[in-house]
Amino acid sequence: MVVYTYSVKEKTSRNTAAKRKIEEVFQKTTSPITLKQLYKKVATAIPGVAYSTVFRVVERLEKDTIVSRVGFKDRGALYEWSGRPHHHHLVCEKCDDVADISDQMLSFNDSKVAKSTGFVITNHSVELTGICKPCQENN
Amino acid sequence: MVVYTYSVKEKTSRNTAAKRKIEEVFQKTTSPITLKQLYKKVATAIPGVAYSTVFRVVERLEKDTIVSRVGFKDRGALYEWSGRPHHHHLVCEKCDDVADISDQMLSFNDSKVAKSTGFVITNHSVELTGICKPCQENN
DNA sequence: GTGTTTGCAAATCATTTGCAGCTTA
DNA sequence: TAAGCTGCAAATGATTTGCAAACAC
């Protein structure tokens, strides 16, 4: 079990069941999940846990950049653990399955964009949509 | 003024003030806007217009693929006119200004991704974050 | 002990819908 | 006239907050 560590900016933090479980769910889940999904999983392990608790823990985790919010078009806000290597997502149109894509596979260069727009690029996010293998076959 | 034209799937459509104004706002605005922003602009020209009217017109326009919803991380759903050539967005962290980026500037290949994941790629969306020139200078 | 965290309930905010009256064609 | 469109009000759903009790340290 990974020990909970807040960023240096945080003075204190307490090790609670909710936090431990939330971290565990994030670690076990490869694809981004909604707060609702997270809450359901947490509530199974900790009956009676409040949605607001999950909300606040994740809120804190996001501020501390331990989890990050990733944006998808239609679904609501999704969260995933930040520790994993930089990657992007490929979402299946049919079943909403999410595959990870490494940055190298995309190979586009920010500098060309930076030059033509005058922006300094600080971050990029790519979302691909497609149809996964199983769904292609079950057609 | 561009004439309102629904897709062939639509049997009928009526030319109303709300629709004309909504189209006009979309045409004049280069960056994606929220429903709220759109509503405010429409309401200025058409006092007393209902939010739900704007909602429903945009809903219809989206179904007819005349406007498209683009996803950003933090802000809510954003809409933009679809007619423009395929492009992506570069958002300024400081002032939320949005610059367009042509697809060619990014030059990444779906086929490599398709090969390694088994997915058939149907669409892609790129969101870059950065700091625009004015904000760099005003620092 | 004491300051953080939690559960509960309620506030907020965005999105969506039902309906009856109005408008466009 | 008739089907579409609109305003209004209210439902829904997601997100957020206040507060007192419970808990970690």
Side-chain angles (χ1 to χ4, degrees):
Chain A
M1 170 64 68
V2 179
V3 177
Y4 234 83
T5 316
Y6 279 118
S7 75
V8 283
K9 286 175 189 169
E10 288 305 317
K11 294 167 199 149
T12 59
S13 167
R14 290 178 185 177
N15 190 354
T16 67
K19 286 181 183 175
R20 282 193 302 274
K21 186 64 190 172
I22 288 169
E23 171 172 357
E24 185 194 324
V25 172
F26 271 122
Q27 301 279 12
K28 282 189 184 168
T29 313
T30 61
S31 54
I33 54 176
T34 64
L35 255 200
K36 208 178 184 177
Q37 293 172 312
L38 175 61
Y39 168 69
K40 275 188 187 167
K41 291 184 189 231
V42 174
T44 305
I46 311 172
V49 70
Y51 187 90
S52 58
T53 298
V54 176
F55 168 78
R56 275 184 282 223
V57 171
V58 173
E59 178 188 44
R60 160 64 63 79
L61 289 173
E62 197 200 346
K63 275 184 187 154
D64 294 344
T65 65
I66 292 170
V67 304
S68 48
R69 186 191 291 217
V70 301
F72 282 98
K73 272 178 187 146
D74 294 330
R75 304 199 262 167
L78 297 173
Y79 299 88
E80 71 175 355
W81 203 251
S82 301
R84 305 160 62 214
H86 185 60
H87 65 280
H88 302 291
H89 301 290
L90 169 53
V91 187
C92 176
E93 282 180 352
K94 307 282 184 187
C95 69
D96 273 356
D97 188 41
V98 178
D100 282 358
I101 301 173
S102 74
D103 212 20
Q104 297 83 43
M105 273 207 274
L106 297 174
S107 70
F108 64 96
N109 61 357
D110 291 352
S111 62
K112 201 189 277 184
V113 177
K115 198 166 285 179
S116 83
T117 59
F119 274 57
V120 173
I121 311 293
T122 56
N123 210 337
H124 67 258
S125 130
V126 178
E127 182 198 330
L128 295 166
T129 312
I131 301 170
C132 70
K133 211 156 199 171
C135 285
Q136 289 169 45
E137 289 160 0
N138 295 341
N139 201 22
Chain B
M1 169 66 68
V2 179
V3 177
Y4 233 84
T5 314
Y6 281 116
S7 75
V8 282
K9 285 175 188 167
E10 288 305 317
K11 294 165 202 149
T12 59
S13 166
R14 292 178 186 177
N15 190 354
T16 67
K19 287 182 182 175
R20 283 192 302 271
K21 186 64 191 172
I22 288 170
E23 171 172 358
E24 184 194 324
V25 172
F26 271 121
Q27 301 278 12
K28 282 190 184 167
T29 313
T30 62
S31 54
I33 54 176
T34 64
L35 255 201
K36 207 179 185 177
Q37 293 172 312
L38 174 61
Y39 169 69
K40 274 188 187 167
K41 290 183 190 232
V42 174
T44 305
I46 311 172
V49 69
Y51 187 89
S52 58
T53 297
V54 176
F55 167 78
R56 276 184 280 223
V57 170
V58 173
E59 177 188 46
R60 161 62 63 81
L61 289 174
E62 197 199 348
K63 275 184 189 156
D64 294 343
T65 66
I66 293 170
V67 304
S68 48
R69 185 191 292 217
V70 301
F72 282 99
K73 273 179 185 143
D74 295 331
R75 302 200 264 167
L78 297 173
Y79 299 87
E80 71 175 354
W81 203 251
S82 302
R84 304 158 63 212
H86 185 60
H87 64 281
H88 303 291
H89 301 290
L90 170 51
V91 187
C92 176
E93 282 179 352
K94 308 281 184 190
C95 69
D96 273 356
D97 188 40
V98 178
D100 283 358
I101 301 172
S102 74
D103 212 20
Q104 298 84 44
M105 274 207 276
L106 298 174
S107 70
F108 64 96
N109 60 358
D110 291 352
S111 63
K112 203 190 273 185
V113 176
K115 199 167 283 179
S116 82
T117 59
F119 274 57
V120 174
I121 311 294
T122 55
N123 211 336
H124 68 258
S125 131
V126 178
E127 181 198 332
L128 296 166
T129 312
I131 301 169
C132 70
K133 210 156 200 171
C135 286
Q136 289 168 46
E137 290 160 358
N138 296 341
N139 202 22

Short mmCIF file of all heavy atoms in Angstrom, two decimals, chain A residues 30-34 37 68-80 84 87-93 96-101 125-130, chain B residues 69-78 119 123-125 127:
data_model
loop_
_atom_site.label_atom_id
_atom_site.label_comp_id
_atom_site.label_asym_id
_atom_site.label_seq_id
_atom_site.Cartn_x
_atom_site.Cartn_y
_atom_site.Cartn_z
N THR A 30 -7.27 1.56 -14.36
CA THR A 30 -6.38 2.09 -15.39
C THR A 30 -7.01 3.26 -16.14
O THR A 30 -6.32 4.16 -16.57
CB THR A 30 -6.00 1.02 -16.41
OG1 THR A 30 -7.20 0.57 -17.06
CG2 THR A 30 -5.34 -0.15 -15.74
N SER A 31 -8.33 3.23 -16.28
CA SER A 31 -8.94 4.31 -17.04
C SER A 31 -9.57 5.34 -16.11
O SER A 31 -9.93 5.03 -14.99
CB SER A 31 -9.97 3.74 -18.00
OG SER A 31 -10.89 2.95 -17.29
N PRO A 32 -9.72 6.54 -16.61
CA PRO A 32 -10.29 7.62 -15.81
C PRO A 32 -11.71 7.29 -15.39
O PRO A 32 -12.45 6.66 -16.13
CB PRO A 32 -10.29 8.81 -16.78
CG PRO A 32 -9.32 8.46 -17.84
CD PRO A 32 -9.36 6.97 -17.95
N ILE A 33 -12.08 7.74 -14.22
CA ILE A 33 -13.44 7.47 -13.74
C ILE A 33 -14.13 8.74 -13.26
O ILE A 33 -13.47 9.72 -12.92
CB ILE A 33 -13.44 6.46 -12.58
CG1 ILE A 33 -12.51 6.91 -11.46
CG2 ILE A 33 -13.04 5.08 -13.06
CD1 ILE A 33 -12.56 6.01 -10.26
N THR A 34 -15.43 8.69 -13.22
CA THR A 34 -16.21 9.82 -12.73
C THR A 34 -16.25 9.77 -11.21
O THR A 34 -15.99 8.73 -10.60
CB THR A 34 -17.65 9.79 -13.24
OG1 THR A 34 -18.29 8.62 -12.73
CG2 THR A 34 -17.69 9.75 -14.76
N GLN A 37 -18.68 7.05 -10.12
CA GLN A 37 -18.13 5.70 -10.16
C GLN A 37 -17.21 5.48 -8.97
O GLN A 37 -17.25 4.44 -8.32
CB GLN A 37 -17.33 5.50 -11.45
CG GLN A 37 -18.16 5.49 -12.71
CD GLN A 37 -17.28 5.48 -13.96
OE1 GLN A 37 -16.33 6.26 -14.08
NE2 GLN A 37 -17.60 4.60 -14.89
N SER A 68 -5.51 13.98 -11.54
CA SER A 68 -5.77 15.04 -12.48
C SER A 68 -7.11 14.82 -13.17
O SER A 68 -7.56 13.70 -13.35
CB SER A 68 -4.64 15.13 -13.51
OG SER A 68 -4.35 13.85 -14.01
N ARG A 69 -7.69 15.91 -13.50
CA ARG A 69 -8.97 15.88 -14.18
C ARG A 69 -8.71 15.82 -15.67
O ARG A 69 -7.93 16.62 -16.19
CB ARG A 69 -9.73 17.15 -13.84
CG ARG A 69 -11.13 17.21 -14.36
CD ARG A 69 -11.68 18.60 -14.21
NE ARG A 69 -11.91 18.93 -12.82
CZ ARG A 69 -12.96 19.67 -12.42
NH1 ARG A 69 -13.83 20.12 -13.27
NH2 ARG A 69 -13.10 19.94 -11.14
N VAL A 70 -9.31 14.90 -16.34
CA VAL A 70 -9.16 14.85 -17.79
C VAL A 70 -10.50 15.14 -18.43
O VAL A 70 -11.53 14.75 -17.92
CB VAL A 70 -8.61 13.48 -18.25
CG1 VAL A 70 -7.27 13.21 -17.61
CG2 VAL A 70 -9.57 12.37 -17.94
N GLY A 71 -10.47 15.85 -19.53
CA GLY A 71 -11.71 16.30 -20.14
C GLY A 71 -12.15 15.45 -21.30
O GLY A 71 -11.38 15.23 -22.22
N PHE A 72 -13.37 15.00 -21.24
CA PHE A 72 -13.94 14.32 -22.39
C PHE A 72 -15.16 15.09 -22.84
O PHE A 72 -15.74 15.85 -22.09
CB PHE A 72 -14.32 12.88 -22.04
CG PHE A 72 -13.13 11.97 -22.00
CD1 PHE A 72 -12.53 11.66 -20.80
CD2 PHE A 72 -12.62 11.46 -23.17
CE1 PHE A 72 -11.43 10.83 -20.77
CE2 PHE A 72 -11.51 10.64 -23.14
CZ PHE A 72 -10.92 10.31 -21.95
N LYS A 73 -15.53 14.86 -24.05
CA LYS A 73 -16.60 15.67 -24.60
C LYS A 73 -17.93 15.48 -23.91
O LYS A 73 -18.54 16.42 -23.46
CB LYS A 73 -16.75 15.37 -26.09
CG LYS A 73 -15.85 16.25 -26.92
CD LYS A 73 -15.98 15.90 -28.39
CE LYS A 73 -14.93 16.66 -29.17
NZ LYS A 73 -14.44 15.94 -30.31
N ASP A 74 -18.38 14.27 -23.85
CA ASP A 74 -19.75 14.07 -23.41
C ASP A 74 -19.90 13.69 -21.95
O ASP A 74 -20.77 14.17 -21.27
CB ASP A 74 -20.42 13.02 -24.29
CG ASP A 74 -20.55 13.52 -25.70
OD1 ASP A 74 -20.67 14.74 -25.88
OD2 ASP A 74 -20.53 12.70 -26.62
N ARG A 75 -19.04 12.82 -21.51
CA ARG A 75 -19.16 12.42 -20.12
C ARG A 75 -18.74 13.57 -19.22
O ARG A 75 -18.09 14.50 -19.65
CB ARG A 75 -18.27 11.20 -19.88
CG ARG A 75 -18.63 10.07 -20.84
CD ARG A 75 -18.11 8.76 -20.35
NE ARG A 75 -16.86 8.40 -20.97
CZ ARG A 75 -16.08 7.41 -20.53
NH1 ARG A 75 -16.42 6.75 -19.46
NH2 ARG A 75 -14.98 7.11 -21.16
N GLY A 76 -19.11 13.49 -17.96
CA GLY A 76 -18.77 14.57 -17.05
C GLY A 76 -17.28 14.57 -16.74
O GLY A 76 -16.49 13.97 -17.45
N ALA A 77 -16.91 15.23 -15.67
CA ALA A 77 -15.50 15.28 -15.28
C ALA A 77 -15.00 13.89 -14.91
O ALA A 77 -15.66 13.14 -14.22
CB ALA A 77 -15.34 16.23 -14.11
N LEU A 78 -13.83 13.57 -15.40
CA LEU A 78 -13.21 12.29 -15.10
C LEU A 78 -11.89 12.54 -14.40
O LEU A 78 -11.21 13.51 -14.68
CB LEU A 78 -12.97 11.50 -16.39
CG LEU A 78 -14.19 11.10 -17.20
CD1 LEU A 78 -13.76 10.47 -18.52
CD2 LEU A 78 -15.05 10.13 -16.41
N TYR A 79 -11.55 11.63 -13.52
CA TYR A 79 -10.31 11.79 -12.77
C TYR A 79 -9.42 10.57 -12.94
O TYR A 79 -9.92 9.45 -13.10
CB TYR A 79 -10.61 11.98 -11.29
CG TYR A 79 -11.43 13.20 -11.01
CD1 TYR A 79 -12.83 13.14 -11.04
CD2 TYR A 79 -10.82 14.42 -10.73
CE1 TYR A 79 -13.58 14.27 -10.80
CE2 TYR A 79 -11.57 15.54 -10.48
CZ TYR A 79 -12.95 15.47 -10.52
OH TYR A 79 -13.70 16.59 -10.29
N GLU A 80 -8.14 10.78 -12.87
CA GLU A 80 -7.22 9.66 -12.87
C GLU A 80 -5.98 10.02 -12.07
O GLU A 80 -5.67 11.19 -11.87
CB GLU A 80 -6.83 9.24 -14.29
CG GLU A 80 -5.93 10.22 -14.99
CD GLU A 80 -5.48 9.71 -16.35
OE1 GLU A 80 -5.78 8.57 -16.71
OE2 GLU A 80 -4.82 10.49 -17.06
N ARG A 84 1.08 8.19 -13.12
CA ARG A 84 1.43 7.40 -14.28
C ARG A 84 2.11 8.25 -15.35
O ARG A 84 1.95 9.45 -15.40
CB ARG A 84 0.16 6.75 -14.84
CG ARG A 84 -0.54 5.93 -13.76
CD ARG A 84 -1.98 5.70 -14.11
NE ARG A 84 -2.11 4.95 -15.33
CZ ARG A 84 -3.09 5.13 -16.18
NH1 ARG A 84 -4.01 6.03 -15.96
NH2 ARG A 84 -3.15 4.42 -17.27
N HIS A 87 0.43 10.33 -20.84
CA HIS A 87 -0.24 9.55 -21.88
C HIS A 87 -1.54 10.22 -22.28
O HIS A 87 -1.95 11.20 -21.68
CB HIS A 87 -0.53 8.14 -21.36
CG HIS A 87 -1.50 8.15 -20.23
ND1 HIS A 87 -1.14 8.44 -18.95
CD2 HIS A 87 -2.83 7.93 -20.20
CE1 HIS A 87 -2.20 8.39 -18.17
NE2 HIS A 87 -3.24 8.09 -18.90
N HIS A 88 -2.19 9.65 -23.28
CA HIS A 88 -3.47 10.19 -23.72
C HIS A 88 -4.48 9.07 -23.81
O HIS A 88 -4.17 7.92 -23.52
CB HIS A 88 -3.29 10.89 -25.07
CG HIS A 88 -2.28 11.97 -25.02
ND1 HIS A 88 -2.47 13.14 -24.33
CD2 HIS A 88 -1.03 12.04 -25.52
CE1 HIS A 88 -1.40 13.88 -24.43
NE2 HIS A 88 -0.50 13.25 -25.15
N HIS A 89 -5.67 9.43 -24.24
CA HIS A 89 -6.73 8.44 -24.22
C HIS A 89 -7.39 8.22 -25.57
O HIS A 89 -7.54 9.14 -26.35
CB HIS A 89 -7.79 8.82 -23.19
CG HIS A 89 -7.24 8.95 -21.81
ND1 HIS A 89 -6.82 7.87 -21.09
CD2 HIS A 89 -6.97 10.03 -21.05
CE1 HIS A 89 -6.35 8.27 -19.92
NE2 HIS A 89 -6.43 9.59 -19.87
N LEU A 90 -7.76 6.98 -25.76
CA LEU A 90 -8.47 6.58 -26.97
C LEU A 90 -9.76 5.92 -26.51
O LEU A 90 -9.73 4.89 -25.85
CB LEU A 90 -7.60 5.60 -27.75
CG LEU A 90 -8.20 4.84 -28.93
CD1 LEU A 90 -8.85 5.80 -29.91
CD2 LEU A 90 -7.11 4.06 -29.64
N VAL A 91 -10.87 6.56 -26.81
CA VAL A 91 -12.15 6.12 -26.29
C VAL A 91 -12.97 5.40 -27.35
O VAL A 91 -13.09 5.89 -28.47
CB VAL A 91 -12.99 7.32 -25.80
CG1 VAL A 91 -14.24 6.86 -25.08
CG2 VAL A 91 -12.16 8.21 -24.90
N CYS A 92 -13.52 4.27 -27.00
CA CYS A 92 -14.37 3.54 -27.94
C CYS A 92 -15.76 4.17 -27.98
O CYS A 92 -16.40 4.35 -26.95
CB CYS A 92 -14.48 2.07 -27.55
SG CYS A 92 -15.61 1.18 -28.63
N GLU A 93 -16.22 4.45 -29.17
CA GLU A 93 -17.53 5.07 -29.36
C GLU A 93 -18.67 4.18 -28.87
O GLU A 93 -19.70 4.66 -28.45
CB GLU A 93 -17.76 5.33 -30.85
CG GLU A 93 -17.06 6.53 -31.40
CD GLU A 93 -17.35 6.70 -32.88
OE1 GLU A 93 -17.97 5.80 -33.47
OE2 GLU A 93 -16.96 7.73 -33.44
N ASP A 96 -17.41 2.76 -24.70
CA ASP A 96 -16.76 3.70 -23.78
C ASP A 96 -15.48 3.16 -23.16
O ASP A 96 -14.96 3.75 -22.21
CB ASP A 96 -17.71 4.10 -22.65
CG ASP A 96 -18.57 5.30 -23.06
OD1 ASP A 96 -18.35 5.82 -24.16
OD2 ASP A 96 -19.44 5.69 -22.27
N ASP A 97 -14.99 2.08 -23.67
CA ASP A 97 -13.72 1.56 -23.19
C ASP A 97 -12.62 2.57 -23.49
O ASP A 97 -12.66 3.24 -24.50
CB ASP A 97 -13.42 0.22 -23.89
CG ASP A 97 -12.21 -0.46 -23.28
OD1 ASP A 97 -12.09 -0.44 -22.03
OD2 ASP A 97 -11.39 -1.00 -24.03
N VAL A 98 -11.67 2.67 -22.59
CA VAL A 98 -10.60 3.64 -22.79
C VAL A 98 -9.25 2.94 -22.89
O VAL A 98 -8.90 2.13 -22.04
CB VAL A 98 -10.54 4.65 -21.61
CG1 VAL A 98 -9.39 5.62 -21.82
CG2 VAL A 98 -11.84 5.39 -21.49
N ALA A 99 -8.51 3.22 -23.93
CA ALA A 99 -7.15 2.69 -24.07
C ALA A 99 -6.16 3.84 -23.87
O ALA A 99 -6.44 4.96 -24.25
CB ALA A 99 -6.96 2.07 -25.44
N ASP A 100 -5.05 3.52 -23.28
CA ASP A 100 -4.02 4.54 -23.11
C ASP A 100 -3.13 4.61 -24.35
O ASP A 100 -2.89 3.61 -25.01
CB ASP A 100 -3.13 4.19 -21.92
CG ASP A 100 -3.82 4.54 -20.61
OD1 ASP A 100 -4.95 5.06 -20.66
OD2 ASP A 100 -3.23 4.27 -19.56
N ILE A 101 -2.63 5.79 -24.61
CA ILE A 101 -1.72 5.98 -25.72
C ILE A 101 -0.51 6.74 -25.22
O ILE A 101 -0.65 7.79 -24.59
CB ILE A 101 -2.39 6.81 -26.83
CG1 ILE A 101 -3.63 6.11 -27.33
CG2 ILE A 101 -1.42 7.05 -27.96
CD1 ILE A 101 -4.40 6.96 -28.28
N SER A 125 -3.15 17.91 -24.56
CA SER A 125 -3.99 16.76 -24.25
C SER A 125 -4.66 16.30 -25.53
O SER A 125 -5.18 17.10 -26.30
CB SER A 125 -5.00 17.17 -23.18
OG SER A 125 -6.29 16.79 -23.55
N VAL A 126 -4.61 15.03 -25.76
CA VAL A 126 -5.16 14.49 -27.00
C VAL A 126 -6.23 13.47 -26.66
O VAL A 126 -6.04 12.64 -25.78
CB VAL A 126 -4.06 13.79 -27.82
CG1 VAL A 126 -4.64 13.19 -29.08
CG2 VAL A 126 -2.94 14.76 -28.14
N GLU A 127 -7.33 13.58 -27.32
CA GLU A 127 -8.38 12.60 -27.13
C GLU A 127 -8.73 12.00 -28.48
O GLU A 127 -9.14 12.72 -29.39
CB GLU A 127 -9.61 13.24 -26.51
CG GLU A 127 -10.71 12.25 -26.25
CD GLU A 127 -12.04 12.97 -26.06
OE1 GLU A 127 -12.05 14.11 -25.58
OE2 GLU A 127 -13.07 12.38 -26.42
N LEU A 128 -8.54 10.71 -28.60
CA LEU A 128 -8.89 10.05 -29.84
C LEU A 128 -10.19 9.28 -29.65
O LEU A 128 -10.46 8.77 -28.56
CB LEU A 128 -7.79 9.09 -30.25
CG LEU A 128 -6.45 9.72 -30.61
CD1 LEU A 128 -5.36 8.68 -30.67
CD2 LEU A 128 -6.55 10.44 -31.94
N THR A 129 -10.97 9.22 -30.68
CA THR A 129 -12.19 8.43 -30.63
C THR A 129 -12.08 7.34 -31.68
O THR A 129 -11.52 7.56 -32.74
CB THR A 129 -13.41 9.31 -30.96
OG1 THR A 129 -13.33 10.50 -30.18
CG2 THR A 129 -14.69 8.59 -30.65
N GLY A 130 -12.59 6.19 -31.37
CA GLY A 130 -12.52 5.10 -32.32
C GLY A 130 -13.44 3.97 -31.93
O GLY A 130 -14.35 4.14 -31.13
N ARG B 69 -19.92 20.44 -30.24
CA ARG B 69 -19.52 20.61 -28.85
C ARG B 69 -18.05 20.24 -28.73
O ARG B 69 -17.63 19.19 -29.19
CB ARG B 69 -20.36 19.67 -27.99
CG ARG B 69 -20.14 19.80 -26.51
CD ARG B 69 -20.79 18.66 -25.79
NE ARG B 69 -22.24 18.72 -25.87
CZ ARG B 69 -23.03 18.36 -24.85
NH1 ARG B 69 -22.52 17.91 -23.73
NH2 ARG B 69 -24.33 18.43 -24.98
N VAL B 70 -17.29 21.13 -28.15
CA VAL B 70 -15.88 20.80 -27.94
C VAL B 70 -15.62 20.71 -26.44
O VAL B 70 -16.19 21.44 -25.67
CB VAL B 70 -14.96 21.85 -28.59
CG1 VAL B 70 -15.23 21.94 -30.07
CG2 VAL B 70 -15.12 23.20 -27.94
N GLY B 71 -14.77 19.78 -26.07
CA GLY B 71 -14.56 19.53 -24.65
C GLY B 71 -13.31 20.19 -24.11
O GLY B 71 -12.24 20.00 -24.64
N PHE B 72 -13.47 20.93 -23.05
CA PHE B 72 -12.31 21.46 -22.37
C PHE B 72 -12.30 20.95 -20.95
O PHE B 72 -13.32 20.50 -20.43
CB PHE B 72 -12.32 22.98 -22.38
CG PHE B 72 -11.89 23.55 -23.68
CD1 PHE B 72 -12.83 23.98 -24.60
CD2 PHE B 72 -10.55 23.62 -23.99
CE1 PHE B 72 -12.42 24.49 -25.82
CE2 PHE B 72 -10.14 24.13 -25.20
CZ PHE B 72 -11.07 24.56 -26.12
N LYS B 73 -11.17 21.03 -20.33
CA LYS B 73 -11.05 20.41 -19.02
C LYS B 73 -11.91 21.06 -17.97
O LYS B 73 -12.68 20.41 -17.29
CB LYS B 73 -9.58 20.45 -18.56
CG LYS B 73 -8.82 19.25 -19.06
CD LYS B 73 -7.38 19.32 -18.64
CE LYS B 73 -6.61 18.17 -19.26
NZ LYS B 73 -5.26 18.54 -19.64
N ASP B 74 -11.77 22.33 -17.78
CA ASP B 74 -12.39 22.95 -16.63
C ASP B 74 -13.70 23.64 -16.93
O ASP B 74 -14.65 23.53 -16.18
CB ASP B 74 -11.42 23.95 -16.00
CG ASP B 74 -10.21 23.22 -15.44
OD1 ASP B 74 -10.37 22.06 -15.05
OD2 ASP B 74 -9.13 23.81 -15.40
N ARG B 75 -13.72 24.32 -18.02
CA ARG B 75 -14.96 25.02 -18.33
C ARG B 75 -16.01 24.01 -18.73
O ARG B 75 -15.71 22.87 -19.06
CB ARG B 75 -14.68 26.00 -19.48
CG ARG B 75 -13.58 26.97 -19.10
CD ARG B 75 -13.62 28.18 -19.97
NE ARG B 75 -12.69 28.08 -21.09
CZ ARG B 75 -12.71 28.91 -22.13
NH1 ARG B 75 -13.63 29.84 -22.20
NH2 ARG B 75 -11.84 28.79 -23.09
N GLY B 76 -17.24 24.42 -18.69
CA GLY B 76 -18.32 23.50 -19.04
C GLY B 76 -18.34 23.22 -20.53
O GLY B 76 -17.36 23.43 -21.22
N ALA B 77 -19.46 22.73 -21.02
CA ALA B 77 -19.59 22.43 -22.44
C ALA B 77 -19.45 23.71 -23.26
O ALA B 77 -20.03 24.74 -22.93
CB ALA B 77 -20.93 21.78 -22.71
N LEU B 78 -18.68 23.62 -24.33
CA LEU B 78 -18.50 24.77 -25.20
C LEU B 78 -18.98 24.38 -26.60
O LEU B 78 -18.86 23.24 -27.02
CB LEU B 78 -17.03 25.16 -25.27
CG LEU B 78 -16.38 25.63 -23.98
CD1 LEU B 78 -14.89 25.82 -24.17
CD2 LEU B 78 -17.01 26.92 -23.51
N PHE B 119 -7.67 -0.43 -32.30
CA PHE B 119 -8.83 0.44 -32.52
C PHE B 119 -8.86 0.92 -33.97
O PHE B 119 -7.82 1.05 -34.61
CB PHE B 119 -8.74 1.69 -31.63
CG PHE B 119 -9.30 1.53 -30.25
CD1 PHE B 119 -8.82 0.54 -29.40
CD2 PHE B 119 -10.30 2.38 -29.79
CE1 PHE B 119 -9.32 0.42 -28.10
CE2 PHE B 119 -10.80 2.25 -28.51
CZ PHE B 119 -10.32 1.28 -27.67
N ASN B 123 -11.91 9.68 -34.95
CA ASN B 123 -11.87 11.11 -34.72
C ASN B 123 -10.74 11.44 -33.75
O ASN B 123 -10.32 10.59 -32.99
CB ASN B 123 -13.19 11.56 -34.11
CG ASN B 123 -13.54 12.97 -34.51
OD1 ASN B 123 -12.65 13.76 -34.86
ND2 ASN B 123 -14.80 13.31 -34.46
N HIS B 124 -10.31 12.66 -33.78
CA HIS B 124 -9.33 13.05 -32.78
C HIS B 124 -9.52 14.51 -32.40
O HIS B 124 -10.03 15.30 -33.18
CB HIS B 124 -7.91 12.82 -33.28
CG HIS B 124 -7.51 13.71 -34.40
ND1 HIS B 124 -7.49 13.29 -35.70
CD2 HIS B 124 -7.14 15.00 -34.42
CE1 HIS B 124 -7.11 14.29 -36.47
NE2 HIS B 124 -6.89 15.33 -35.72
N SER B 125 -9.13 14.82 -31.21
CA SER B 125 -9.28 16.18 -30.73
C SER B 125 -8.07 16.52 -29.87
O SER B 125 -7.66 15.75 -29.02
CB SER B 125 -10.58 16.30 -29.95
OG SER B 125 -10.38 16.92 -28.72
N GLU B 127 -6.16 19.42 -27.50
CA GLU B 127 -6.27 20.67 -26.77
C GLU B 127 -4.91 21.01 -26.20
O GLU B 127 -4.34 20.26 -25.44
CB GLU B 127 -7.28 20.53 -25.64
CG GLU B 127 -7.46 21.80 -24.85
CD GLU B 127 -8.12 21.52 -23.51
OE1 GLU B 127 -8.88 20.56 -23.39
OE2 GLU B 127 -7.84 22.28 -22.57
#
